[in-house]
Amino acid sequence: MAGLSVNESLFVIDMDDTSPSILPVGEILPDGIKIGVDRDRGEQFAFYVSEDGRWDILAARPVLAERWVAEGYLPKRALQIHIDETGEIDCYLLISPSSHILLRMTDARVYSSRYYAHLVATTIWSSRNKDHDINLRDGILCELYGVVLPTYTRTPKFADITLLNNALRGQYAEEDLRRPSDFSDGNGGLSRMTFNESLRKVEMEPDTIEPYFHTGELVDDFVQMAPGSFITGPLELRKEYQIFATDSDVVLLAMSAKWAEELIERKLLLNMDLKNVQLGREMIKVMALSRRQALEAFDNRHFGVTQQDVYDIALALYRARRKMPEASFKDALYVHSLGLVLPVRFEGGDRGEDVQLLREVITTGPFAQGPFLTDVLTTAIAIVNSN
Protein backbone atom coordinates (compact mmCIF):
# COMPACT_ATOMS: atom_id res chain seq x y z
CA MET A 1 0.00 0.00 0.00
CA ALA A 2 1.14 3.55 -0.60
CA GLY A 3 3.04 4.86 2.40
CA LEU A 4 1.57 8.28 1.75
CA SER A 5 -0.85 10.14 3.96
CA VAL A 6 -0.45 13.91 3.77
CA ASN A 7 1.33 15.81 1.02
CA GLU A 8 3.64 18.17 2.95
CA SER A 9 4.08 20.43 -0.07
CA LEU A 10 0.50 21.59 0.38
CA PHE A 11 1.51 23.18 3.65
CA VAL A 12 4.79 24.79 2.59
CA ILE A 13 4.53 28.34 1.32
CA ASP A 14 7.39 28.85 -1.10
CA MET A 15 6.40 31.87 -3.11
CA ASP A 16 8.25 34.19 -5.38
CA ASP A 17 7.94 37.47 -3.45
CA THR A 18 7.97 39.46 -6.69
CA SER A 19 4.89 37.61 -8.03
CA PRO A 20 1.61 39.27 -7.06
CA SER A 21 -1.34 37.09 -6.08
CA ILE A 22 -3.73 36.50 -8.97
CA LEU A 23 -6.87 35.83 -6.90
CA PRO A 24 -7.68 37.41 -3.52
CA VAL A 25 -8.25 35.07 -0.59
CA GLY A 26 -11.96 35.15 0.24
CA GLU A 27 -13.17 35.62 -3.33
CA ILE A 28 -16.20 33.51 -4.21
CA LEU A 29 -16.09 32.09 -7.73
CA PRO A 30 -19.30 31.90 -9.85
CA ASP A 31 -19.78 28.20 -9.00
CA GLY A 32 -19.69 28.95 -5.26
CA ILE A 33 -16.10 27.89 -4.56
CA LYS A 34 -14.47 30.26 -2.06
CA ILE A 35 -10.71 30.89 -2.21
CA GLY A 36 -9.35 29.86 1.18
CA VAL A 37 -5.54 29.55 0.94
CA ASP A 38 -2.96 31.18 -1.32
CA ARG A 39 -0.72 28.11 -1.53
CA ASP A 40 2.07 28.88 -3.99
CA ARG A 41 2.74 31.09 -6.96
CA GLY A 42 5.04 31.65 -9.88
CA GLU A 43 5.44 34.45 -12.38
CA GLN A 44 2.41 33.56 -14.51
CA PHE A 45 0.45 31.17 -12.29
CA ALA A 46 -0.70 30.56 -8.72
CA PHE A 47 -2.12 27.67 -6.68
CA TYR A 48 -5.05 28.08 -4.28
CA VAL A 49 -7.08 25.81 -2.02
CA SER A 50 -10.82 26.29 -1.55
CA GLU A 51 -12.04 27.27 1.90
CA ASP A 52 -13.73 23.89 2.40
CA GLY A 53 -10.61 22.01 1.27
CA ARG A 54 -12.47 20.19 -1.51
CA TRP A 55 -10.76 21.86 -4.47
CA ASP A 56 -7.31 22.88 -5.66
CA ILE A 57 -7.36 25.83 -8.04
CA LEU A 58 -4.64 26.65 -10.56
CA ALA A 59 -4.92 30.23 -11.84
CA ALA A 60 -2.85 31.01 -14.95
CA ARG A 61 -2.43 34.25 -16.83
CA PRO A 62 -3.88 34.20 -20.38
CA VAL A 63 -0.44 34.17 -22.03
CA LEU A 64 0.27 30.83 -20.30
CA ALA A 65 -3.15 29.16 -20.22
CA GLU A 66 -3.97 29.93 -23.85
CA ARG A 67 -0.66 28.42 -24.90
CA TRP A 68 -1.50 25.20 -23.02
CA VAL A 69 -4.70 24.90 -25.03
CA ALA A 70 -3.12 25.90 -28.35
CA GLU A 71 -0.33 23.34 -27.95
CA GLY A 72 -2.64 20.52 -26.86
CA TYR A 73 -1.70 20.16 -23.19
CA LEU A 74 -5.26 20.88 -22.03
CA PRO A 75 -8.67 20.82 -23.70
CA LYS A 76 -10.33 24.21 -23.79
CA ARG A 77 -13.17 22.90 -21.59
CA ALA A 78 -10.68 22.30 -18.75
CA LEU A 79 -10.29 26.03 -18.11
CA GLN A 80 -12.75 28.55 -16.71
CA ILE A 81 -12.48 32.22 -17.64
CA HIS A 82 -11.97 34.66 -14.76
CA ILE A 83 -12.95 38.30 -15.42
CA ASP A 84 -11.50 41.28 -13.56
CA GLU A 85 -13.41 44.39 -12.49
CA THR A 86 -12.88 46.04 -15.89
CA GLY A 87 -14.49 43.11 -17.71
CA GLU A 88 -11.19 41.83 -19.12
CA ILE A 89 -9.94 38.24 -18.85
CA ASP A 90 -7.24 38.40 -16.17
CA CYS A 91 -6.67 34.63 -15.84
CA TYR A 92 -7.99 31.14 -16.52
CA LEU A 93 -8.81 28.66 -13.76
CA LEU A 94 -8.24 24.91 -13.68
CA ILE A 95 -10.28 23.49 -10.79
CA SER A 96 -9.20 20.05 -9.65
CA PRO A 97 -10.63 17.86 -6.85
CA SER A 98 -8.30 17.96 -3.84
CA SER A 99 -8.12 14.16 -4.12
CA HIS A 100 -5.86 14.65 -7.17
CA ILE A 101 -2.26 15.81 -7.48
CA LEU A 102 -1.85 19.40 -8.72
CA LEU A 103 1.56 20.91 -7.92
CA ARG A 104 4.92 21.93 -9.28
CA MET A 105 6.87 19.03 -10.73
CA THR A 106 9.73 19.90 -8.37
CA ASP A 107 7.40 19.30 -5.38
CA ALA A 108 6.29 15.82 -6.48
CA ARG A 109 7.30 13.06 -4.02
CA VAL A 110 6.22 9.47 -4.58
CA TYR A 111 6.61 8.32 -0.92
CA SER A 112 6.95 4.64 -1.95
CA SER A 113 3.64 4.62 -3.82
CA ARG A 114 3.96 2.58 -7.02
CA TYR A 115 0.75 4.16 -8.32
CA TYR A 116 2.22 7.64 -7.82
CA ALA A 117 5.45 6.55 -9.53
CA HIS A 118 3.44 5.39 -12.55
CA LEU A 119 1.46 8.64 -12.47
CA VAL A 120 4.62 10.74 -12.69
CA ALA A 121 5.94 8.61 -15.56
CA THR A 122 2.70 8.72 -17.55
CA THR A 123 2.36 12.51 -17.21
CA ILE A 124 5.93 12.96 -18.45
CA TRP A 125 5.25 10.65 -21.39
CA SER A 126 2.04 12.53 -22.16
CA SER A 127 3.73 15.94 -22.33
CA ARG A 128 6.77 14.59 -24.15
CA ASN A 129 4.49 13.21 -26.86
CA LYS A 130 3.17 16.72 -27.49
CA ASP A 131 6.61 18.33 -27.69
CA HIS A 132 9.76 16.24 -27.71
CA ASP A 133 11.99 19.17 -26.68
CA ILE A 134 9.79 20.97 -24.13
CA ASN A 135 11.38 21.72 -20.75
CA LEU A 136 9.36 20.00 -18.01
CA ARG A 137 11.72 20.83 -15.12
CA ASP A 138 9.53 23.71 -13.87
CA GLY A 139 6.27 22.22 -15.13
CA ILE A 140 3.03 21.65 -13.22
CA LEU A 141 1.94 18.06 -12.62
CA CYS A 142 -1.80 17.85 -13.26
CA GLU A 143 -3.18 14.42 -12.43
CA LEU A 144 -6.73 15.19 -13.55
CA TYR A 145 -5.69 15.57 -17.19
CA GLY A 146 -2.65 13.27 -17.01
CA VAL A 147 -0.11 15.87 -18.09
CA VAL A 148 2.83 18.01 -17.00
CA LEU A 149 1.95 21.59 -17.96
CA PRO A 150 5.10 23.42 -19.08
CA THR A 151 5.72 26.92 -17.71
CA TYR A 152 8.17 27.79 -20.51
CA THR A 153 10.93 29.03 -18.21
CA ARG A 154 14.53 29.40 -19.30
CA THR A 155 15.90 27.06 -16.65
CA PRO A 156 18.19 24.27 -17.88
CA LYS A 157 16.37 21.29 -19.33
CA PHE A 158 16.57 18.11 -17.23
CA ALA A 159 16.48 14.58 -18.64
CA ASP A 160 13.14 12.85 -18.20
CA ILE A 161 14.62 10.06 -16.10
CA THR A 162 16.00 12.66 -13.66
CA LEU A 163 12.51 14.13 -13.23
CA LEU A 164 11.27 10.68 -12.18
CA ASN A 165 14.30 10.13 -9.93
CA ASN A 166 13.62 13.42 -8.15
CA ALA A 167 10.02 12.41 -7.49
CA LEU A 168 11.20 9.04 -6.16
CA ARG A 169 13.84 10.48 -3.82
CA GLY A 170 13.37 10.98 -0.10
CA GLN A 171 12.53 14.32 1.41
CA TYR A 172 16.14 15.24 2.18
CA ALA A 173 17.95 13.44 -0.63
CA GLU A 174 19.92 15.46 -3.16
CA GLU A 175 18.24 16.45 -6.41
CA ASP A 176 19.32 14.70 -9.60
CA LEU A 177 20.55 17.55 -11.84
CA ARG A 178 21.52 15.60 -14.95
CA ARG A 179 20.64 17.00 -18.36
CA PRO A 180 20.07 15.01 -21.57
CA SER A 181 23.68 15.72 -22.61
CA ASP A 182 24.94 13.98 -19.45
CA PHE A 183 23.76 10.60 -20.78
CA SER A 184 25.67 8.47 -23.28
CA ASP A 185 22.72 8.49 -25.68
CA GLY A 186 22.30 12.25 -25.33
CA ASN A 187 18.73 11.68 -24.23
CA GLY A 188 18.14 10.36 -20.72
CA GLY A 189 14.66 9.34 -21.79
CA LEU A 190 12.06 7.55 -19.72
CA SER A 191 11.32 4.05 -20.99
CA ARG A 192 9.80 1.01 -19.28
CA MET A 193 13.33 -0.28 -18.73
CA THR A 194 14.68 2.93 -17.16
CA PHE A 195 11.47 3.27 -15.14
CA ASN A 196 12.02 -0.17 -13.60
CA GLU A 197 15.70 0.57 -12.97
CA SER A 198 14.74 3.72 -11.05
CA LEU A 199 12.23 1.79 -8.94
CA ARG A 200 14.86 -0.80 -8.04
CA LYS A 201 17.29 1.90 -6.91
CA VAL A 202 14.81 3.08 -4.27
CA GLU A 203 13.91 -0.52 -3.34
CA MET A 204 10.46 -0.49 -4.94
CA GLU A 205 9.08 -3.46 -6.86
CA PRO A 206 9.50 -3.07 -10.64
CA ASP A 207 6.81 -3.95 -13.16
CA THR A 208 6.89 -7.63 -14.08
CA ILE A 209 3.63 -7.90 -16.05
CA GLU A 210 3.52 -7.00 -19.73
CA PRO A 211 0.94 -4.23 -20.33
CA TYR A 212 -1.96 -4.90 -22.65
CA PHE A 213 -1.58 -1.52 -24.35
CA HIS A 214 1.38 0.71 -25.15
CA THR A 215 2.04 4.41 -24.98
CA GLY A 216 0.66 6.23 -27.98
CA GLU A 217 -2.23 3.89 -28.83
CA LEU A 218 -5.44 5.76 -29.60
CA VAL A 219 -8.23 5.31 -27.08
CA ASP A 220 -10.72 5.47 -29.97
CA ASP A 221 -9.61 1.97 -30.88
CA PHE A 222 -11.18 0.66 -27.65
CA VAL A 223 -13.87 3.12 -26.51
CA GLN A 224 -15.58 6.26 -27.76
CA MET A 225 -15.59 8.07 -24.40
CA ALA A 226 -12.50 10.16 -25.11
CA PRO A 227 -12.19 10.72 -28.87
CA GLY A 228 -8.74 11.78 -30.01
CA SER A 229 -7.07 10.74 -26.75
CA PHE A 230 -4.20 8.29 -26.54
CA ILE A 231 -2.82 5.97 -23.89
CA THR A 232 0.09 7.41 -21.92
CA GLY A 233 0.98 4.30 -19.94
CA PRO A 234 -0.08 1.95 -17.15
CA LEU A 235 -1.04 3.04 -13.63
CA GLU A 236 -1.55 -0.49 -12.29
CA LEU A 237 -0.52 -3.87 -13.69
CA ARG A 238 -2.03 -6.99 -12.12
CA LYS A 239 -2.85 -10.48 -13.30
CA GLU A 240 -6.59 -9.84 -13.14
CA TYR A 241 -6.68 -6.28 -14.48
CA GLN A 242 -4.67 -3.32 -15.66
CA ILE A 243 -5.41 0.42 -15.37
CA PHE A 244 -4.20 2.81 -18.06
CA ALA A 245 -3.84 6.58 -18.04
CA THR A 246 -4.74 8.67 -21.06
CA ASP A 247 -3.98 12.27 -21.97
CA SER A 248 -7.53 13.18 -20.92
CA ASP A 249 -9.68 12.91 -17.80
CA VAL A 250 -10.52 9.30 -18.70
CA VAL A 251 -8.80 6.11 -17.53
CA LEU A 252 -9.16 2.61 -18.96
CA LEU A 253 -9.83 -0.49 -16.90
CA ALA A 254 -8.73 -3.58 -18.85
CA MET A 255 -9.73 -6.94 -17.35
CA SER A 256 -8.66 -10.46 -18.13
CA ALA A 257 -11.52 -12.44 -19.66
CA LYS A 258 -11.43 -14.96 -16.81
CA TRP A 259 -11.77 -12.35 -14.06
CA ALA A 260 -14.39 -10.34 -15.96
CA GLU A 261 -16.51 -13.45 -16.55
CA GLU A 262 -16.34 -14.28 -12.83
CA LEU A 263 -17.59 -10.77 -11.99
CA ILE A 264 -20.37 -10.98 -14.58
CA GLU A 265 -21.43 -14.39 -13.28
CA ARG A 266 -21.69 -12.94 -9.78
CA LYS A 267 -23.78 -10.04 -11.16
CA LEU A 268 -21.23 -7.43 -10.18
CA LEU A 269 -20.78 -6.23 -13.75
CA LEU A 270 -22.93 -6.32 -16.87
CA ASN A 271 -21.40 -7.74 -20.03
CA MET A 272 -23.12 -5.02 -22.07
CA ASP A 273 -21.06 -2.36 -20.23
CA LEU A 274 -17.76 -3.94 -21.30
CA LYS A 275 -16.06 -3.75 -24.66
CA ASN A 276 -14.38 -6.88 -26.05
CA VAL A 277 -10.86 -6.26 -27.33
CA GLN A 278 -8.86 -8.96 -29.11
CA LEU A 279 -5.13 -8.89 -28.38
CA GLY A 280 -3.45 -11.61 -30.40
CA ARG A 281 -4.98 -14.84 -29.13
CA GLU A 282 -6.27 -13.25 -25.94
CA MET A 283 -9.65 -11.56 -25.47
CA ILE A 284 -9.90 -8.92 -22.75
CA LYS A 285 -12.72 -6.70 -21.48
CA VAL A 286 -12.30 -2.91 -21.37
CA MET A 287 -14.23 -0.16 -19.61
CA ALA A 288 -13.63 3.61 -19.76
CA LEU A 289 -14.14 5.52 -16.51
CA SER A 290 -13.87 9.10 -15.32
CA ARG A 291 -10.56 10.00 -13.76
CA ARG A 292 -12.34 12.23 -11.26
CA GLN A 293 -13.25 9.30 -9.02
CA ALA A 294 -11.16 6.58 -7.44
CA LEU A 295 -10.18 3.51 -9.43
CA GLU A 296 -7.54 1.71 -7.40
CA ALA A 297 -6.66 -1.36 -5.39
CA PHE A 298 -7.23 -1.07 -1.65
CA ASP A 299 -3.66 -2.26 -1.05
CA ASN A 300 -2.18 0.43 -3.33
CA ARG A 301 -4.21 3.51 -2.53
CA HIS A 302 -3.38 6.87 -4.07
CA PHE A 303 -6.67 8.75 -4.34
CA GLY A 304 -6.92 11.38 -1.59
CA VAL A 305 -10.12 10.78 0.39
CA THR A 306 -12.55 13.34 1.76
CA GLN A 307 -15.08 12.66 4.49
CA GLN A 308 -17.73 11.89 1.87
CA ASP A 309 -15.35 9.47 0.11
CA VAL A 310 -14.97 7.57 3.40
CA TYR A 311 -18.72 7.04 3.61
CA ASP A 312 -18.84 6.02 -0.07
CA ILE A 313 -16.18 3.38 0.58
CA ALA A 314 -18.09 2.13 3.64
CA LEU A 315 -21.30 1.79 1.60
CA ALA A 316 -19.48 0.00 -1.24
CA LEU A 317 -17.94 -2.45 1.26
CA TYR A 318 -21.34 -3.02 2.90
CA ARG A 319 -23.03 -3.81 -0.44
CA ALA A 320 -20.14 -6.03 -1.56
CA ARG A 321 -20.12 -8.00 1.71
CA ARG A 322 -23.86 -8.71 1.42
CA LYS A 323 -23.35 -10.10 -2.08
CA MET A 324 -20.12 -11.96 -1.30
CA PRO A 325 -20.05 -13.03 2.39
CA GLU A 326 -16.74 -14.88 2.07
CA ALA A 327 -14.76 -12.69 -0.34
CA SER A 328 -11.60 -10.85 0.76
CA PHE A 329 -11.51 -7.14 -0.01
CA LYS A 330 -8.05 -6.25 1.34
CA ASP A 331 -6.62 -6.16 -2.18
CA ALA A 332 -9.89 -5.67 -4.07
CA LEU A 333 -10.33 -3.10 -6.83
CA TYR A 334 -12.46 -0.14 -5.72
CA VAL A 335 -14.48 1.47 -8.54
CA HIS A 336 -15.82 4.65 -6.96
CA SER A 337 -17.90 5.84 -9.92
CA LEU A 338 -19.88 2.57 -9.92
CA GLY A 339 -19.96 2.13 -6.13
CA LEU A 340 -18.34 -1.29 -6.55
CA VAL A 341 -15.72 -3.35 -4.76
CA LEU A 342 -14.39 -6.02 -7.13
CA PRO A 343 -12.46 -8.77 -5.32
CA VAL A 344 -9.66 -10.82 -6.82
CA ARG A 345 -10.12 -13.43 -4.07
CA PHE A 346 -13.60 -14.77 -3.42
CA GLU A 347 -12.87 -16.41 -0.10
CA GLY A 348 -10.97 -15.69 3.11
CA GLY A 349 -12.65 -12.46 4.16
CA ASP A 350 -15.29 -11.28 6.63
CA ARG A 351 -16.74 -8.11 8.16
CA GLY A 352 -13.90 -7.90 10.64
CA GLU A 353 -11.52 -7.53 7.71
CA ASP A 354 -13.73 -4.75 6.29
CA VAL A 355 -13.63 -2.84 9.57
CA GLN A 356 -9.84 -3.10 9.71
CA LEU A 357 -9.60 -1.91 6.11
CA LEU A 358 -11.78 1.11 6.91
CA ARG A 359 -9.67 1.93 9.95
CA GLU A 360 -6.60 1.92 7.74
CA VAL A 361 -8.21 4.20 5.14
CA ILE A 362 -9.35 6.68 7.79
CA THR A 363 -6.23 6.71 9.94
CA THR A 364 -3.44 6.48 7.34
CA GLY A 365 -4.94 8.13 4.25
CA PRO A 366 -3.94 9.28 1.75
CA PHE A 367 -6.06 12.31 2.59
CA ALA A 368 -7.54 15.10 0.52
CA GLN A 369 -9.03 16.47 3.74
CA GLY A 370 -8.08 15.17 7.15
CA PRO A 371 -7.05 13.50 9.29
CA PHE A 372 -10.67 12.84 10.21
CA LEU A 373 -12.40 13.09 13.55
CA THR A 374 -13.28 9.96 15.53
CA ASP A 375 -16.99 10.28 14.70
CA VAL A 376 -16.22 9.70 11.00
CA LEU A 377 -14.60 6.36 11.83
CA THR A 378 -17.46 5.42 14.17
CA THR A 379 -20.11 6.23 11.54
CA ALA A 380 -18.25 4.47 8.72
CA ILE A 381 -17.83 1.31 10.82
CA ALA A 382 -21.51 1.42 11.71
CA ILE A 383 -22.36 1.43 7.99
CA VAL A 384 -20.15 -1.61 7.33
CA ASN A 385 -21.61 -3.49 10.31
CA SER A 386 -25.25 -2.80 9.38
CA ASN A 387 -27.51 -5.84 8.94
Side-chain angles (χ1 to χ4, degrees):
M1 189 204 75
L4 157 69
S5 56
V6 178
N7 187 347
E8 290 94 336
S9 68
L10 301 184
F11 303 96
V12 177
I13 306 299
D14 181 21
M15 299 188 205
D16 180 349
D17 293 335
T18 64
S19 302
S21 183
I22 297 177
L23 301 175
V25 171
E27 178 177 351
I28 300 176
L29 302 179
D31 51 9
I33 295 175
K34 186 176 182 179
I35 303 299
V37 176
D38 186 345
R39 174 159 65 91
D40 183 15
R41 49 181 117 117
E43 186 177 350
Q44 297 290 339
F45 63 90
F47 296 99
Y48 302 91
V49 181
S50 64
E51 188 177 58
D52 61 6
R54 294 176 57 201
W55 307 99
D56 285 338
I57 301 103
L58 170 62
R61 295 298 187 189
V63 66
L64 182 59
E66 290 172 4
R67 189 170 178 182
W68 288 337
V69 173
E71 296 181 7
Y73 293 98
L74 286 175
K76 193 172 183 179
R77 62 180 172 82
L79 299 172
Q80 294 184 17
I81 294 173
H82 186 272
I83 307 294
D84 64 18
E85 293 180 355
T86 68
E88 297 294 321
I89 299 176
D90 66 341
C91 68
Y92 289 85
L93 306 178
L94 190 157
I95 300 176
S96 173
S98 55
S99 53
H100 291 57
I101 301 297
L102 181 66
L103 42 64
R104 294 179 190 248
M105 192 69 184
T106 51
D107 290 334
R109 293 293 182 277
V110 165
Y111 298 108
S112 300
S113 166
R114 295 185 74 256
Y115 191 105
Y116 199 165
H118 279 100
L119 170 66
V120 171
T122 58
T123 56
I124 293 172
W125 284 325
S126 177
S127 294
R128 186 62 64 220
N129 187 70
K130 300 174 194 305
D131 187 334
H132 182 72
D133 294 317
I134 196 68
N135 187 358
L136 302 177
R137 166 68 173 81
D138 288 335
I140 297 168
L141 196 162
C142 175
E143 178 180 1
L144 182 59
Y145 287 95
V147 70
V148 178
L149 301 170
T151 54
Y152 307 102
T153 61
R154 296 185 178 181
T155 56
K157 179 182 176 182
F158 281 19
D160 290 349
I161 190 61
T162 66
L163 297 178
L164 174 66
N165 290 341
N166 289 330
L168 290 170
R169 80 187 196 275
Q171 187 173 359
Y172 302 108
E174 290 187 6
E175 187 176 21
D176 188 343
L177 302 176
R178 289 176 296 171
R179 305 180 189 182
S181 58
D182 294 325
F183 291 81
S184 58
D185 61 0
N187 182 357
L190 184 56
S191 64
R192 288 193 66 224
M193 183 180 71
T194 56
F195 175 81
N196 280 333
E197 287 175 355
S198 290
L199 291 189
R200 289 190 187 96
K201 287 178 182 177
V202 293
E203 298 182 347
M204 292 174 63
E205 287 294 322
D207 289 341
T208 56
I209 295 176
E210 186 69 23
Y212 290 134
F213 307 126
H214 300 288
T215 301
E217 290 191 65
L218 277 173
V219 175
D220 302 31
D221 294 342
F222 316 113
V223 292
Q224 284 72 51
M225 190 173 172
S229 297
F230 60 86
I231 289 169
T232 56
L235 294 170
E236 185 76 80
L237 295 172
R238 301 207 177 191
K239 181 179 67 174
E240 295 82 8
Y241 63 87
Q242 300 181 8
I243 300 173
F244 290 88
T246 73
D247 67 334
S248 71
D249 55 351
V250 169
V251 290
L252 296 186
L253 171 59
M255 296 170 276
S256 71
K258 181 179 178 181
W259 189 57
E261 287 163 6
E262 178 81 20
L263 298 174
I264 292 168
E265 205 172 293
R266 293 174 180 269
K267 302 189 181 338
L268 293 172
L269 292 177
L270 295 175
N271 193 42
M272 63 183 293
D273 294 332
L274 307 175
K275 183 175 179 62
N276 293 319
V277 176
Q278 187 75 40
L279 297 177
R281 296 182 178 181
E282 184 178 3
M283 177 72 74
I284 63 170
K285 306 277 188 178
V286 179
M287 178 183 291
L289 297 161
S290 170
R291 196 169 196 156
R292 294 175 182 272
Q293 295 180 287
L295 176 66
E296 61 186 7
F298 277 131
D299 63 344
N300 189 23
R301 300 193 308 275
H302 166 75
F303 192 91
V305 292
T306 65
Q307 181 173 307
Q308 183 58 53
D309 293 326
V310 169
Y311 296 143
D312 290 345
I313 291 171
L315 283 168
L317 285 169
Y318 166 75
R319 288 192 291 263
R321 181 58 64 202
R322 290 190 56 117
K323 285 188 174 184
M324 296 170 287
E326 298 179 355
S328 176
F329 301 141
K330 287 193 298 186
D331 53 357
L333 178 66
Y334 176 50
V335 188
H336 189 181
S337 59
L338 302 178
L340 294 175
V341 175
L342 305 178
V344 295
R345 292 181 292 140
F346 295 94
E347 56 184 25
D350 55 31
R351 274 191 186 174
E353 179 185 88
D354 302 344
V355 170
Q356 183 57 38
L357 175 58
L358 261 184
R359 286 185 186 276
E360 195 174 88
V361 169
I362 294 170
T363 57
T364 68
F367 303 114
Q369 299 168 272
F372 303 111
L373 298 175
T374 304
D375 61 343
V376 175
L377 176 58
T378 303
T379 305
I381 289 176
I383 292 172
V384 169
N385 278 329
S386 299
N387 291 319

